[in-house]
Amino acid sequence: IEEAFDLQIDDLQNSIKGKDIKQQRTIRKDINDLKRTKTRVLSTIDSSTTVKSLNNVDSIQNLMDSAKHNEWYTKGKGAGARNFYRDTSRVISYSIGKENNKFIIFKNLQKGKVYEKAVKYTAEVAERAVVFNNEIFKTVVQSLDDIPDLQLENIPQGSTSRFAKVVSLTGMRPEYLAELKFEDIDFKNGTVKYKDFKQPGKPKITTVSVNKTALALLQQQQNASIAHGTGGSRTLFVGTSGQYSKPINKHFKKIGAYVQLSDGGVDKFQLYDFRRLQKARLMANNAPQAVIDAMMGHSYKGPYAKGIMEAGITNADIRTGVANAEVDFYNRAGYSGDAVKQFSGSTVEGKPRIRIKAGTKPPDDLPPPAAGGGTGEVKQKI
């Protein structure tokens, strides 16, 4: 699919010569549109995906389902989604012919109803409203060790599970975690920084505080990459957000996990739901809004941003919020005793994981769980 985009872009660039000013302007706009969509497609699916494997109704549906959790998807009240579909379909037609393009069939299914559902804009497309449910949360969190590894040579064992765990603990957007570099992590101060592409123009560098367990998992990933021979890779997790999200979401589907929506309905649990649930947990715990925004990496301008500064929120306040949220995470997930060691595999950064379920008998070097086995309260200092 990446090559298909490049071929059409090159063809358009070669066609500019000899055209009048108006035609050149149109061609350059088409080139920019295709470059933008190419970047979005490659952040959603593996760049080695073939045109043939993408060109079927099920794959198209999966592509749109995966893409709809991005901020750009809802821009212009859904214009981002429609342009994404249009440009990808255009590349398919260019590559194998319009008569073979299944995107057109998809758009015409049931007189366009399937297409309209796939690209329909609602306020909840990117940030659908969820209701926190402890039992669902326990089921999903306690299953994260069971996620199968990506079958890629340059990704060390355990990467997929660690990726899911960091998202679950921090509420970080998967696309930002996938782009995280080792030098972006400050272990001393407990922060990570990433490029925020939500707003148009030059990306903003956002720094957020993360908890002790997430830092341990990130250190484990670095150590595993070095041992695997991929320590010099551009990014810490090497794979794309789409590569990780697909098997993780498939795992959630396999165990029958779902998320409860605020309108009373339910939907399949997806990796991105951990971000929504993080916000729901913080709000339920009455965390100050400014602390929530700082932990979630929200960016604001104008009076609201000024209000945050005037609220006098300090780094100490944010770190306290991070620690409280980490303890709350384990309590709600049914862990007890040394939950950090049980969940990450170690209290010391970089040690191998100990695969242990909440509520099961811990190894001899772990403290015994509180009464009730796996449902006792986590009280250790984070």
Side-chain angles (χ1 to χ4, degrees):
I1 190 66
E2 182 175 20
E3 184 181 4
F5 268 95
D6 289 340
L7 287 171
Q8 184 168 16
I9 290 169
D10 288 344
D11 193 25
L12 286 172
Q13 287 175 331
N14 293 333
S15 70
I16 291 178
K17 190 175 181 180
K19 298 290 193 299
D20 61 38
I21 297 298
K22 185 176 180 180
Q23 289 172 323
Q24 289 182 16
R25 189 181 299 119
T26 300
I27 293 171
R28 289 195 176 96
K29 180 182 181 303
D30 288 343
I31 290 172
N32 289 333
D33 288 346
L34 288 173
K35 286 181 176 180
R36 175 198 61 201
T37 302
K38 173 189 168 184
T39 300
R40 291 174 177 178
V41 168
L42 297 184
S43 70
T44 306
I45 59 175
D46 185 5
S47 60
S48 63
T49 301
T50 64
V51 169
K52 182 178 179 181
S53 64
L54 181 61
N55 189 39
N56 66 74
V57 171
D58 289 338
S59 296
I60 296 169
Q61 185 68 65
N62 289 336
L63 174 71
M64 301 305 290
D65 287 342
S66 298
K68 69 172 55 175
H69 305 299
N70 293 294
E71 298 290 339
W72 52 259
Y73 192 92
T74 61
K75 283 186 177 179
K77 293 188 176 180
R82 293 189 291 275
N83 292 340
F84 176 75
Y85 188 95
R86 177 203 65 197
D87 292 338
T88 309
S89 175
R90 180 180 177 181
V91 168
I92 298 294
S93 290
Y94 175 84
S95 181
I96 60 175
K98 190 173 182 179
E99 67 278 5
N100 299 316
N101 187 349
K102 297 298 191 295
F103 277 73
I104 297 173
I105 293 175
F106 184 92
K107 190 171 183 178
N108 293 332
L109 279 176
Q110 299 176 26
K111 296 183 178 179
K113 288 183 179 179
V114 174
Y115 166 78
E116 289 298 325
K117 184 177 180 181
V119 302
K120 183 179 180 182
Y121 168 79
T122 66
E124 290 80 29
V125 168
E127 293 288 353
R128 61 179 177 181
V130 299
V131 176
F132 198 94
N133 183 302
N134 262 13
E135 291 307 311
I136 297 172
F137 192 67
K138 286 180 184 179
T139 298
V140 175
V141 171
Q142 292 188 31
S143 77
L144 296 182
D145 264 328
D146 300 328
I147 299 172
D149 283 314
L150 288 177
Q151 299 302 306
L152 297 173
E153 289 185 5
N154 60 342
I155 296 180
Q157 186 178 5
S159 296
T160 315
S161 177
R162 280 189 288 270
F163 191 94
K165 286 183 175 183
V166 173
V167 173
S168 72
L169 282 159
T170 64
M172 188 183 297
R173 289 182 173 88
E175 59 269 29
Y176 291 169
L177 179 58
E179 285 295 309
L180 194 69
K181 302 177 181 64
F182 187 68
E183 57 266 28
D184 295 333
I185 309 167
D186 184 340
F187 287 100
K188 182 179 178 180
N189 295 308
T191 62
V192 299
K193 62 181 180 180
Y194 52 80
K195 292 181 179 179
D196 190 339
F197 291 94
K198 290 188 301 178
Q199 304 299 328
K202 187 177 181 180
K204 174 179 176 289
I205 303 298
T206 297
T207 301
V208 295
S209 294
V210 296
N211 56 51
K212 177 181 177 180
T213 318
L215 291 172
L217 290 162
L218 293 171
Q219 182 67 71
Q220 286 177 25
Q221 182 65 20
Q222 171 69 3
N223 293 345
S225 296
I226 293 172
H228 193 71
T230 55
S233 299
R234 185 181 70 85
T235 57
L236 183 62
F237 281 93
V238 183
T240 65
S241 172
Q243 284 178 309
Y244 280 109
S245 296
K246 188 172 181 179
I248 292 171
N249 291 340
K250 187 176 180 180
H251 162 76
F252 293 149
K253 181 179 179 181
K254 182 179 179 181
I255 66 173
Y258 62 93
V259 67
Q260 189 174 337
L261 306 179
S262 60
D263 62 5
V266 296
D267 203 350
K268 295 175 183 176
F269 196 99
Q270 297 170 334
L271 180 63
Y272 201 93
D273 285 320
F274 279 125
R275 178 170 177 82
R276 303 177 181 109
L277 292 174
Q278 174 88 331
K279 185 175 181 180
R281 285 197 302 116
L282 293 170
M283 292 175 66
N285 293 341
N286 296 316
Q289 184 63 46
V291 172
I292 294 175
D293 293 330
M295 290 174 62
M296 299 290 290
H298 291 163
S299 57
Y300 297 93
K301 298 178 181 179
Y304 185 82
K306 183 180 178 182
I308 290 179
M309 295 175 66
E310 291 175 349
I313 297 297
T314 65
N315 286 336
D317 295 323
I318 296 170
R319 292 303 304 168
T320 298
V322 169
N324 290 340
E326 185 176 15
V327 173
D328 179 70
F329 174 91
Y330 288 121
N331 286 333
R332 290 178 182 269
Y335 283 83
S336 61
D338 195 338
V340 175
K341 195 168 186 177
Q342 293 179 50
F343 188 75
S344 72
S346 175
T347 53
V348 180
E349 289 83 354
K351 283 194 175 181
R353 293 197 347 271
I354 303 170
R355 292 184 176 272
I356 175 171
K357 294 281 190 173
T360 60
K361 184 179 182 301
D364 293 337
D365 64 334
L366 291 183
T375 57
E377 192 175 40
V378 176
K379 296 181 179 179
Q380 83 277 16
K381 184 178 180 181
I382 304 291

